[in-house]
PDB file of all heavy atoms in Angstrom:
ATOM      1  N   TYR J 201      -4.446 -20.408  32.530  1.00 93.00           N
ATOM      2  CA  TYR J 201      -3.733 -20.873  31.340  1.00 93.00           C
ATOM      3  C   TYR J 201      -2.222 -20.478  31.447  1.00 93.00           C
ATOM      4  O   TYR J 201      -1.911 -19.429  32.015  1.00 93.00           O
ATOM      5  CB  TYR J 201      -4.293 -20.169  30.089  1.00 93.00           C
ATOM      6  CG  TYR J 201      -5.787 -20.433  29.826  1.00 93.00           C
ATOM      7  CD1 TYR J 201      -6.661 -19.357  29.996  1.00 93.00           C
ATOM      8  CD2 TYR J 201      -6.278 -21.694  29.482  1.00 93.00           C
ATOM      9  CE1 TYR J 201      -8.008 -19.555  29.786  1.00 93.00           C
ATOM     10  CE2 TYR J 201      -7.606 -21.874  29.260  1.00 93.00           C
ATOM     11  CZ  TYR J 201      -8.528 -20.804  29.451  1.00 93.00           C
ATOM     12  OH  TYR J 201      -9.838 -21.024  29.217  1.00 93.00           O
ATOM     13  N   TRP J 202      -1.406 -21.303  30.875  1.00 92.00           N
ATOM     14  CA  TRP J 202       0.069 -20.998  30.774  1.00 92.00           C
ATOM     15  C   TRP J 202       0.286 -20.122  29.597  1.00 92.00           C
ATOM     16  O   TRP J 202       0.037 -20.489  28.467  1.00 92.00           O
ATOM     17  CB  TRP J 202       0.890 -22.289  30.750  1.00 92.00           C
ATOM     18  CG  TRP J 202       0.856 -23.047  31.978  1.00 92.00           C
ATOM     19  CD1 TRP J 202       0.156 -24.169  32.242  1.00 92.00           C
ATOM     20  CD2 TRP J 202       1.492 -22.716  33.234  1.00 92.00           C
ATOM     21  NE1 TRP J 202       0.390 -24.617  33.490  1.00 92.00           N
ATOM     22  CE2 TRP J 202       1.181 -23.707  34.174  1.00 92.00           C
ATOM     23  CE3 TRP J 202       2.339 -21.693  33.629  1.00 92.00           C
ATOM     24  CZ2 TRP J 202       1.588 -23.688  35.460  1.00 92.00           C
ATOM     25  CZ3 TRP J 202       2.785 -21.656  34.925  1.00 92.00           C
ATOM     26  CH2 TRP J 202       2.420 -22.638  35.832  1.00 92.00           C
ATOM     27  N   ILE J 203       0.712 -18.906  29.891  1.00 92.00           N
ATOM     28  CA  ILE J 203       0.929 -17.898  28.826  1.00 92.00           C
ATOM     29  C   ILE J 203       2.348 -17.378  28.884  1.00 92.00           C
ATOM     30  O   ILE J 203       2.866 -17.035  29.914  1.00 92.00           O
ATOM     31  CB  ILE J 203      -0.028 -16.664  29.046  1.00 92.00           C
ATOM     32  CG1 ILE J 203      -1.470 -17.126  29.233  1.00 92.00           C
ATOM     33  CG2 ILE J 203       0.165 -15.654  27.943  1.00 92.00           C
ATOM     34  CD1 ILE J 203      -2.259 -17.403  27.997  1.00 92.00           C
ATOM     35  N   ILE J 204       2.966 -17.311  27.678  1.00 91.00           N
ATOM     36  CA  ILE J 204       4.351 -16.762  27.563  1.00 91.00           C
ATOM     37  C   ILE J 204       4.218 -15.299  27.674  1.00 91.00           C
ATOM     38  O   ILE J 204       3.472 -14.657  26.916  1.00 91.00           O
ATOM     39  CB  ILE J 204       4.973 -17.225  26.254  1.00 91.00           C
ATOM     40  CG1 ILE J 204       5.162 -18.742  26.187  1.00 91.00           C
ATOM     41  CG2 ILE J 204       6.302 -16.527  26.031  1.00 91.00           C
ATOM     42  CD1 ILE J 204       5.243 -19.295  24.802  1.00 91.00           C
ATOM     43  N   THR J 205       5.002 -14.693  28.573  1.00 94.00           N
ATOM     44  CA  THR J 205       4.942 -13.234  28.725  1.00 94.00           C
ATOM     45  C   THR J 205       6.283 -12.563  28.422  1.00 94.00           C
ATOM     46  O   THR J 205       6.352 -11.296  28.432  1.00 94.00           O
ATOM     47  CB  THR J 205       4.483 -12.834  30.123  1.00 94.00           C
ATOM     48  OG1 THR J 205       5.342 -13.471  31.065  1.00 94.00           O
ATOM     49  CG2 THR J 205       3.063 -13.253  30.388  1.00 94.00           C
ATOM     50  N   ASP J 206       7.286 -13.318  28.141  1.00 96.00           N
ATOM     51  CA  ASP J 206       8.551 -12.714  27.813  1.00 96.00           C
ATOM     52  C   ASP J 206       9.353 -13.710  26.961  1.00 96.00           C
ATOM     53  O   ASP J 206       9.611 -14.819  27.422  1.00 96.00           O
ATOM     54  CB  ASP J 206       9.356 -12.351  29.080  1.00 96.00           C
ATOM     55  CG  ASP J 206      10.605 -11.501  28.802  1.00 96.00           C
ATOM     56  OD1 ASP J 206      11.008 -11.430  27.649  1.00 96.00           O
ATOM     57  OD2 ASP J 206      11.138 -10.905  29.789  1.00 96.00           O
ATOM     58  N   MET J 207       9.640 -13.312  25.695  1.00 94.00           N
ATOM     59  CA  MET J 207      10.353 -14.268  24.816  1.00 94.00           C
ATOM     60  C   MET J 207      11.483 -13.477  24.158  1.00 94.00           C
ATOM     61  O   MET J 207      11.423 -12.313  23.926  1.00 94.00           O
ATOM     62  CB  MET J 207       9.435 -14.922  23.830  1.00 94.00           C
ATOM     63  CG  MET J 207       8.714 -13.975  22.936  1.00 94.00           C
ATOM     64  SD  MET J 207       7.618 -14.840  21.786  1.00 94.00           S
ATOM     65  CE  MET J 207       8.693 -15.230  20.523  1.00 94.00           C
ATOM     66  N   LEU J 208      12.495 -14.238  23.778  1.00 96.00           N
ATOM     67  CA  LEU J 208      13.639 -13.666  23.122  1.00 96.00           C
ATOM     68  C   LEU J 208      13.961 -14.489  21.867  1.00 96.00           C
ATOM     69  O   LEU J 208      14.241 -15.692  21.967  1.00 96.00           O
ATOM     70  CB  LEU J 208      14.863 -13.654  24.013  1.00 96.00           C
ATOM     71  CG  LEU J 208      16.164 -13.020  23.483  1.00 96.00           C
ATOM     72  CD1 LEU J 208      15.981 -11.513  23.379  1.00 96.00           C
ATOM     73  CD2 LEU J 208      17.348 -13.391  24.387  1.00 96.00           C
ATOM     74  N   MET J 209      13.945 -13.860  20.721  1.00 95.00           N
ATOM     75  CA  MET J 209      14.263 -14.535  19.491  1.00 95.00           C
ATOM     76  C   MET J 209      15.634 -13.933  19.008  1.00 95.00           C
ATOM     77  O   MET J 209      15.726 -12.696  18.881  1.00 95.00           O
ATOM     78  CB  MET J 209      13.196 -14.311  18.400  1.00 95.00           C
ATOM     79  CG  MET J 209      13.533 -14.884  17.082  1.00 95.00           C
ATOM     80  SD  MET J 209      13.545 -16.651  17.022  1.00 95.00           S
ATOM     81  CE  MET J 209      11.907 -17.002  16.296  1.00 95.00           C
ATOM     82  N   THR J 210      16.582 -14.796  18.783  1.00 96.00           N
ATOM     83  CA  THR J 210      17.917 -14.276  18.352  1.00 96.00           C
ATOM     84  C   THR J 210      18.238 -14.828  16.959  1.00 96.00           C
ATOM     85  O   THR J 210      18.106 -16.043  16.728  1.00 96.00           O
ATOM     86  CB  THR J 210      19.059 -14.762  19.353  1.00 96.00           C
ATOM     87  OG1 THR J 210      18.656 -14.315  20.629  1.00 96.00           O
ATOM     88  CG2 THR J 210      20.369 -14.187  18.943  1.00 96.00           C
ATOM     89  N   ASP J 211      18.605 -13.931  16.104  1.00 94.00           N
ATOM     90  CA  ASP J 211      19.098 -14.354  14.768  1.00 94.00           C
ATOM     91  C   ASP J 211      20.549 -14.537  14.878  1.00 94.00           C
ATOM     92  O   ASP J 211      21.351 -13.543  15.076  1.00 94.00           O
ATOM     93  CB  ASP J 211      18.749 -13.210  13.728  1.00 94.00           C
ATOM     94  CG  ASP J 211      19.048 -13.687  12.323  1.00 94.00           C
ATOM     95  OD1 ASP J 211      20.136 -14.318  12.137  1.00 94.00           O
ATOM     96  OD2 ASP J 211      18.317 -13.351  11.392  1.00 94.00           O
ATOM     97  N   LEU J 212      21.028 -15.757  14.858  1.00 95.00           N
ATOM     98  CA  LEU J 212      22.394 -16.071  15.142  1.00 95.00           C
ATOM     99  C   LEU J 212      23.362 -15.604  14.028  1.00 95.00           C
ATOM    100  O   LEU J 212      24.481 -15.366  14.221  1.00 95.00           O
ATOM    101  CB  LEU J 212      22.549 -17.522  15.395  1.00 95.00           C
ATOM    102  CG  LEU J 212      21.696 -18.082  16.545  1.00 95.00           C
ATOM    103  CD1 LEU J 212      21.702 -19.612  16.557  1.00 95.00           C
ATOM    104  CD2 LEU J 212      22.169 -17.509  17.882  1.00 95.00           C
ATOM    105  N   LYS J 213      22.819 -15.558  12.810  1.00 90.00           N
ATOM    106  CA  LYS J 213      23.650 -15.080  11.691  1.00 90.00           C
ATOM    107  C   LYS J 213      23.953 -13.614  11.795  1.00 90.00           C
ATOM    108  O   LYS J 213      25.065 -13.135  11.598  1.00 90.00           O
ATOM    109  CB  LYS J 213      22.881 -15.362  10.337  1.00 90.00           C
ATOM    110  CG  LYS J 213      23.109 -16.681   9.729  1.00 90.00           C
ATOM    111  CD  LYS J 213      22.297 -16.733   8.465  1.00 90.00           C
ATOM    112  CE  LYS J 213      22.669 -17.825   7.546  1.00 90.00           C
ATOM    113  NZ  LYS J 213      21.778 -17.846   6.391  1.00 90.00           N
ATOM    114  N   LYS J 214      22.917 -12.847  12.182  1.00 89.00           N
ATOM    115  CA  LYS J 214      23.092 -11.426  12.221  1.00 89.00           C
ATOM    116  C   LYS J 214      23.504 -10.897  13.550  1.00 89.00           C
ATOM    117  O   LYS J 214      23.817  -9.716  13.773  1.00 89.00           O
ATOM    118  CB  LYS J 214      21.734 -10.756  11.864  1.00 89.00           C
ATOM    119  CG  LYS J 214      21.289 -10.906  10.427  1.00 89.00           C
ATOM    120  CD  LYS J 214      19.966 -10.214  10.206  1.00 89.00           C
ATOM    121  CE  LYS J 214      19.449 -10.387   8.833  1.00 89.00           C
ATOM    122  NZ  LYS J 214      18.051  -9.927   8.702  1.00 89.00           N
ATOM    123  N   ASP J 215      23.464 -11.808  14.524  1.00 92.00           N
ATOM    124  CA  ASP J 215      23.753 -11.465  15.936  1.00 92.00           C
ATOM    125  C   ASP J 215      22.779 -10.331  16.325  1.00 92.00           C
ATOM    126  O   ASP J 215      23.238  -9.301  16.833  1.00 92.00           O
ATOM    127  CB  ASP J 215      25.234 -11.093  16.125  1.00 92.00           C
ATOM    128  CG  ASP J 215      25.574 -11.017  17.586  1.00 92.00           C
ATOM    129  OD1 ASP J 215      24.819 -11.515  18.417  1.00 92.00           O
ATOM    130  OD2 ASP J 215      26.688 -10.527  17.925  1.00 92.00           O
ATOM    131  N   HIS J 216      21.560 -10.535  16.042  1.00 93.00           N
ATOM    132  CA  HIS J 216      20.500  -9.529  16.318  1.00 93.00           C
ATOM    133  C   HIS J 216      19.371 -10.223  17.018  1.00 93.00           C
ATOM    134  O   HIS J 216      19.047 -11.377  16.790  1.00 93.00           O
ATOM    135  CB  HIS J 216      20.039  -8.973  14.924  1.00 93.00           C
ATOM    136  CG  HIS J 216      19.189  -7.777  15.034  1.00 93.00           C
ATOM    137  ND1 HIS J 216      17.820  -7.885  15.258  1.00 93.00           N
ATOM    138  CD2 HIS J 216      19.484  -6.480  14.892  1.00 93.00           C
ATOM    139  CE1 HIS J 216      17.369  -6.617  15.207  1.00 93.00           C
ATOM    140  NE2 HIS J 216      18.305  -5.734  15.025  1.00 93.00           N
ATOM    141  N   SER J 217      18.821  -9.489  18.024  1.00 95.00           N
ATOM    142  CA  SER J 217      17.762 -10.214  18.778  1.00 95.00           C
ATOM    143  C   SER J 217      16.507  -9.330  18.905  1.00 95.00           C
ATOM    144  O   SER J 217      16.571  -8.087  18.825  1.00 95.00           O
ATOM    145  CB  SER J 217      18.210 -10.629  20.157  1.00 95.00           C
ATOM    146  OG  SER J 217      18.509  -9.497  20.933  1.00 95.00           O
ATOM    147  N   THR J 218      15.377  -9.981  19.166  1.00 95.00           N
ATOM    148  CA  THR J 218      14.130  -9.300  19.417  1.00 95.00           C
ATOM    149  C   THR J 218      13.531  -9.890  20.716  1.00 95.00           C
ATOM    150  O   THR J 218      13.228 -11.081  20.758  1.00 95.00           O
ATOM    151  CB  THR J 218      13.116  -9.451  18.255  1.00 95.00           C
ATOM    152  OG1 THR J 218      13.695  -8.955  17.068  1.00 95.00           O
ATOM    153  CG2 THR J 218      11.804  -8.733  18.581  1.00 95.00           C
ATOM    154  N   GLN J 219      13.400  -9.017  21.706  1.00 96.00           N
ATOM    155  CA  GLN J 219      12.742  -9.466  22.959  1.00 96.00           C
ATOM    156  C   GLN J 219      11.304  -9.006  22.872  1.00 96.00           C
ATOM    157  O   GLN J 219      11.040  -7.831  22.524  1.00 96.00           O
ATOM    158  CB  GLN J 219      13.412  -8.864  24.166  1.00 96.00           C
ATOM    159  CG  GLN J 219      12.829  -9.326  25.454  1.00 96.00           C
ATOM    160  CD  GLN J 219      13.483  -8.725  26.668  1.00 96.00           C
ATOM    161  OE1 GLN J 219      14.241  -7.843  26.574  1.00 96.00           O
ATOM    162  NE2 GLN J 219      13.222  -9.381  27.814  1.00 96.00           N
ATOM    163  N   MET J 220      10.358  -9.843  23.218  1.00 94.00           N
ATOM    164  CA  MET J 220       8.959  -9.463  23.165  1.00 94.00           C
ATOM    165  C   MET J 220       8.382  -9.656  24.553  1.00 94.00           C
ATOM    166  O   MET J 220       8.341 -10.743  25.093  1.00 94.00           O
ATOM    167  CB  MET J 220       8.156 -10.332  22.182  1.00 94.00           C
ATOM    168  CG  MET J 220       8.589 -10.124  20.751  1.00 94.00           C
ATOM    169  SD  MET J 220       7.821 -11.281  19.587  1.00 94.00           S
ATOM    170  CE  MET J 220       6.225 -10.529  19.374  1.00 94.00           C
ATOM    171  N   ILE J 221       7.939  -8.523  25.129  1.00 96.00           N
ATOM    172  CA  ILE J 221       7.383  -8.567  26.476  1.00 96.00           C
ATOM    173  C   ILE J 221       5.891  -8.286  26.343  1.00 96.00           C
ATOM    174  O   ILE J 221       5.436  -7.289  25.824  1.00 96.00           O
ATOM    175  CB  ILE J 221       8.060  -7.472  27.343  1.00 96.00           C
ATOM    176  CG1 ILE J 221       9.557  -7.738  27.421  1.00 96.00           C
ATOM    177  CG2 ILE J 221       7.470  -7.479  28.775  1.00 96.00           C
ATOM    178  CD1 ILE J 221      10.346  -6.550  27.943  1.00 96.00           C
ATOM    179  N   PHE J 222       5.157  -9.281  26.869  1.00 95.00           N
ATOM    180  CA  PHE J 222       3.670  -9.195  26.700  1.00 95.00           C
ATOM    181  C   PHE J 222       3.112  -8.677  28.054  1.00 95.00           C
ATOM    182  O   PHE J 222       3.536  -9.006  29.134  1.00 95.00           O
ATOM    183  CB  PHE J 222       3.092 -10.587  26.469  1.00 95.00           C
ATOM    184  CG  PHE J 222       3.555 -11.213  25.229  1.00 95.00           C
ATOM    185  CD1 PHE J 222       4.811 -11.818  25.118  1.00 95.00           C
ATOM    186  CD2 PHE J 222       2.809 -11.143  24.041  1.00 95.00           C
ATOM    187  CE1 PHE J 222       5.296 -12.383  23.934  1.00 95.00           C
ATOM    188  CE2 PHE J 222       3.255 -11.712  22.852  1.00 95.00           C
ATOM    189  CZ  PHE J 222       4.515 -12.349  22.833  1.00 95.00           C
ATOM    190  N   SER J 223       2.179  -7.767  27.962  1.00 95.00           N
ATOM    191  CA  SER J 223       1.556  -7.183  29.147  1.00 95.00           C
ATOM    192  C   SER J 223       0.005  -7.058  28.919  1.00 95.00           C
ATOM    193  O   SER J 223      -0.454  -7.185  27.823  1.00 95.00           O
ATOM    194  CB  SER J 223       2.160  -5.833  29.460  1.00 95.00           C
ATOM    195  OG  SER J 223       1.898  -4.951  28.433  1.00 95.00           O
ATOM    196  N   GLU J 224      -0.643  -6.760  29.968  1.00 94.00           N
ATOM    197  CA  GLU J 224      -2.097  -6.569  29.971  1.00 94.00           C
ATOM    198  C   GLU J 224      -2.813  -7.717  29.295  1.00 94.00           C
ATOM    199  O   GLU J 224      -3.788  -7.544  28.538  1.00 94.00           O
ATOM    200  CB  GLU J 224      -2.479  -5.228  29.322  1.00 94.00           C
ATOM    201  CG  GLU J 224      -1.963  -4.011  30.112  1.00 94.00           C
ATOM    202  CD  GLU J 224      -2.381  -2.723  29.482  1.00 94.00           C
ATOM    203  OE1 GLU J 224      -3.566  -2.655  29.059  1.00 94.00           O
ATOM    204  OE2 GLU J 224      -1.598  -1.802  29.493  1.00 94.00           O
ATOM    205  N   THR J 225      -2.248  -8.911  29.486  1.00 94.00           N
ATOM    206  CA  THR J 225      -2.861 -10.102  28.771  1.00 94.00           C
ATOM    207  C   THR J 225      -4.195 -10.439  29.361  1.00 94.00           C
ATOM    208  O   THR J 225      -4.386 -10.481  30.561  1.00 94.00           O
ATOM    209  CB  THR J 225      -1.881 -11.301  28.936  1.00 94.00           C
ATOM    210  OG1 THR J 225      -0.670 -11.009  28.343  1.00 94.00           O
ATOM    211  CG2 THR J 225      -2.536 -12.550  28.309  1.00 94.00           C
ATOM    212  N   LYS J 226      -5.187 -10.627  28.460  1.00 94.00           N
ATOM    213  CA  LYS J 226      -6.540 -11.024  28.859  1.00 94.00           C
ATOM    214  C   LYS J 226      -6.904 -12.276  28.109  1.00 94.00           C
ATOM    215  O   LYS J 226      -6.535 -12.377  26.890  1.00 94.00           O
ATOM    216  CB  LYS J 226      -7.517  -9.889  28.613  1.00 94.00           C
ATOM    217  CG  LYS J 226      -7.269  -8.737  29.540  1.00 94.00           C
ATOM    218  CD  LYS J 226      -8.346  -7.625  29.328  1.00 94.00           C
ATOM    219  CE  LYS J 226      -8.033  -6.563  30.424  1.00 94.00           C
ATOM    220  NZ  LYS J 226      -8.262  -5.240  29.943  1.00 94.00           N
ATOM    221  N   VAL J 227      -7.591 -13.160  28.726  1.00 94.00           N
ATOM    222  CA  VAL J 227      -7.969 -14.395  28.037  1.00 94.00           C
ATOM    223  C   VAL J 227      -9.502 -14.573  28.071  1.00 94.00           C
ATOM    224  O   VAL J 227     -10.184 -13.935  28.889  1.00 94.00           O
ATOM    225  CB  VAL J 227      -7.304 -15.635  28.699  1.00 94.00           C
ATOM    226  CG1 VAL J 227      -5.803 -15.595  28.470  1.00 94.00           C
ATOM    227  CG2 VAL J 227      -7.620 -15.698  30.178  1.00 94.00           C
ATOM    228  N   ASP J 228      -9.959 -15.357  27.099  1.00 94.00           N
ATOM    229  CA  ASP J 228     -11.405 -15.665  27.039  1.00 94.00           C
ATOM    230  C   ASP J 228     -12.268 -14.413  27.059  1.00 94.00           C
ATOM    231  O   ASP J 228     -13.171 -14.234  27.825  1.00 94.00           O
ATOM    232  CB  ASP J 228     -11.850 -16.606  28.107  1.00 94.00           C
ATOM    233  CG  ASP J 228     -11.073 -17.927  28.025  1.00 94.00           C
ATOM    234  OD1 ASP J 228     -10.502 -18.206  26.933  1.00 94.00           O
ATOM    235  OD2 ASP J 228     -11.075 -18.681  29.032  1.00 94.00           O
ATOM    236  N   THR J 229     -11.951 -13.514  26.177  1.00 94.00           N
ATOM    237  CA  THR J 229     -12.636 -12.235  26.106  1.00 94.00           C
ATOM    238  C   THR J 229     -13.878 -12.230  25.212  1.00 94.00           C
ATOM    239  O   THR J 229     -14.604 -11.243  25.167  1.00 94.00           O
ATOM    240  CB  THR J 229     -11.726 -11.103  25.605  1.00 94.00           C
ATOM    241  OG1 THR J 229     -11.397 -11.352  24.271  1.00 94.00           O
ATOM    242  CG2 THR J 229     -10.476 -10.981  26.457  1.00 94.00           C
ATOM    243  N   GLY J 230     -14.121 -13.339  24.526  1.00 94.00           N
ATOM    244  CA  GLY J 230     -15.333 -13.442  23.704  1.00 94.00           C
ATOM    245  C   GLY J 230     -15.138 -12.962  22.287  1.00 94.00           C
ATOM    246  O   GLY J 230     -16.111 -12.528  21.627  1.00 94.00           O
ATOM    247  N   LEU J 231     -13.926 -13.025  21.789  1.00 94.00           N
ATOM    248  CA  LEU J 231     -13.670 -12.609  20.386  1.00 94.00           C
ATOM    249  C   LEU J 231     -14.376 -13.547  19.474  1.00 94.00           C
ATOM    250  O   LEU J 231     -14.621 -14.719  19.832  1.00 94.00           O
ATOM    251  CB  LEU J 231     -12.164 -12.612  20.037  1.00 94.00           C
ATOM    252  CG  LEU J 231     -11.314 -11.585  20.816  1.00 94.00           C
ATOM    253  CD1 LEU J 231      -9.832 -11.747  20.427  1.00 94.00           C
ATOM    254  CD2 LEU J 231     -11.726 -10.171  20.519  1.00 94.00           C
ATOM    255  N   THR J 232     -14.741 -13.049  18.299  1.00 92.00           N
ATOM    256  CA  THR J 232     -15.328 -13.909  17.277  1.00 92.00           C
ATOM    257  C   THR J 232     -14.588 -13.810  15.972  1.00 92.00           C
ATOM    258  O   THR J 232     -13.636 -13.005  15.846  1.00 92.00           O
ATOM    259  CB  THR J 232     -16.797 -13.473  17.016  1.00 92.00           C
ATOM    260  OG1 THR J 232     -16.752 -12.168  16.420  1.00 92.00           O
ATOM    261  CG2 THR J 232     -17.588 -13.435  18.316  1.00 92.00           C
ATOM    262  N   ARG J 233     -15.016 -14.598  14.979  1.00 90.00           N
ATOM    263  CA  ARG J 233     -14.343 -14.590  13.661  1.00 90.00           C
ATOM    264  C   ARG J 233     -14.414 -13.137  13.085  1.00 90.00           C
ATOM    265  O   ARG J 233     -13.494 -12.768  12.296  1.00 90.00           O
ATOM    266  CB  ARG J 233     -15.043 -15.514  12.725  1.00 90.00           C
ATOM    267  CG  ARG J 233     -14.643 -16.936  12.944  1.00 90.00           C
ATOM    268  CD  ARG J 233     -15.187 -17.772  11.828  1.00 90.00           C
ATOM    269  NE  ARG J 233     -14.849 -19.129  11.992  1.00 90.00           N
ATOM    270  CZ  ARG J 233     -15.077 -20.111  11.056  1.00 90.00           C
ATOM    271  NH1 ARG J 233     -15.635 -19.795   9.906  1.00 90.00           N
ATOM    272  NH2 ARG J 233     -14.775 -21.324  11.289  1.00 90.00           N
ATOM    273  N   ASP J 234     -15.445 -12.433  13.389  1.00 89.00           N
ATOM    274  CA  ASP J 234     -15.555 -11.061  12.841  1.00 89.00           C
ATOM    275  C   ASP J 234     -14.408 -10.144  13.326  1.00 89.00           C
ATOM    276  O   ASP J 234     -14.081  -9.168  12.643  1.00 89.00           O
ATOM    277  CB  ASP J 234     -16.873 -10.397  13.312  1.00 89.00           C
ATOM    278  CG  ASP J 234     -18.065 -11.058  12.560  1.00 89.00           C
ATOM    279  OD1 ASP J 234     -17.822 -11.753  11.582  1.00 89.00           O
ATOM    280  OD2 ASP J 234     -19.200 -10.844  13.033  1.00 89.00           O
ATOM    281  N   ASP J 235     -13.780 -10.502  14.448  1.00 91.00           N
ATOM    282  CA  ASP J 235     -12.631  -9.719  14.898  1.00 91.00           C
ATOM    283  C   ASP J 235     -11.384 -10.024  14.134  1.00 91.00           C
ATOM    284  O   ASP J 235     -10.360  -9.349  14.386  1.00 91.00           O
ATOM    285  CB  ASP J 235     -12.433  -9.968  16.411  1.00 91.00           C
ATOM    286  CG  ASP J 235     -13.560  -9.436  17.247  1.00 91.00           C
ATOM    287  OD1 ASP J 235     -13.820  -8.251  17.188  1.00 91.00           O
ATOM    288  OD2 ASP J 235     -14.261 -10.327  17.898  1.00 91.00           O
ATOM    289  N   PHE J 236     -11.423 -10.990  13.244  1.00 93.00           N
ATOM    290  CA  PHE J 236     -10.238 -11.360  12.485  1.00 93.00           C
ATOM    291  C   PHE J 236     -10.582 -11.318  10.989  1.00 93.00           C
ATOM    292  O   PHE J 236     -10.639 -12.329  10.314  1.00 93.00           O
ATOM    293  CB  PHE J 236      -9.738 -12.760  12.867  1.00 93.00           C
ATOM    294  CG  PHE J 236      -9.359 -12.821  14.336  1.00 93.00           C
ATOM    295  CD1 PHE J 236     -10.319 -13.123  15.311  1.00 93.00           C
ATOM    296  CD2 PHE J 236      -8.060 -12.552  14.781  1.00 93.00           C
ATOM    297  CE1 PHE J 236      -9.990 -13.185  16.662  1.00 93.00           C
ATOM    298  CE2 PHE J 236      -7.723 -12.609  16.074  1.00 93.00           C
ATOM    299  CZ  PHE J 236      -8.690 -12.944  17.031  1.00 93.00           C
TER     300      PHE J 236
END
Side-chain angles (χ1 to χ4, degrees):
Chain J
Y201 303 110
W202 291 105
I203 308 279
I204 296 157
T205 55
D206 190 345
M207 59 181 275
L208 181 71
M209 176 70 99
T210 305
D211 186 322
L212 301 169
K213 271 180 164 176
K214 294 180 182 170
D215 195 10
H216 191 276
S217 67
T218 301
Q219 184 182 14
M220 296 174 79
I221 301 164
F222 299 80
S223 63
E224 298 184 37
T225 299
K226 291 184 176 140
V227 292
D228 298 345
T229 64
L231 295 177
T232 66
R233 281 188 182 190
D234 289 345
D235 293 299
F236 299 87

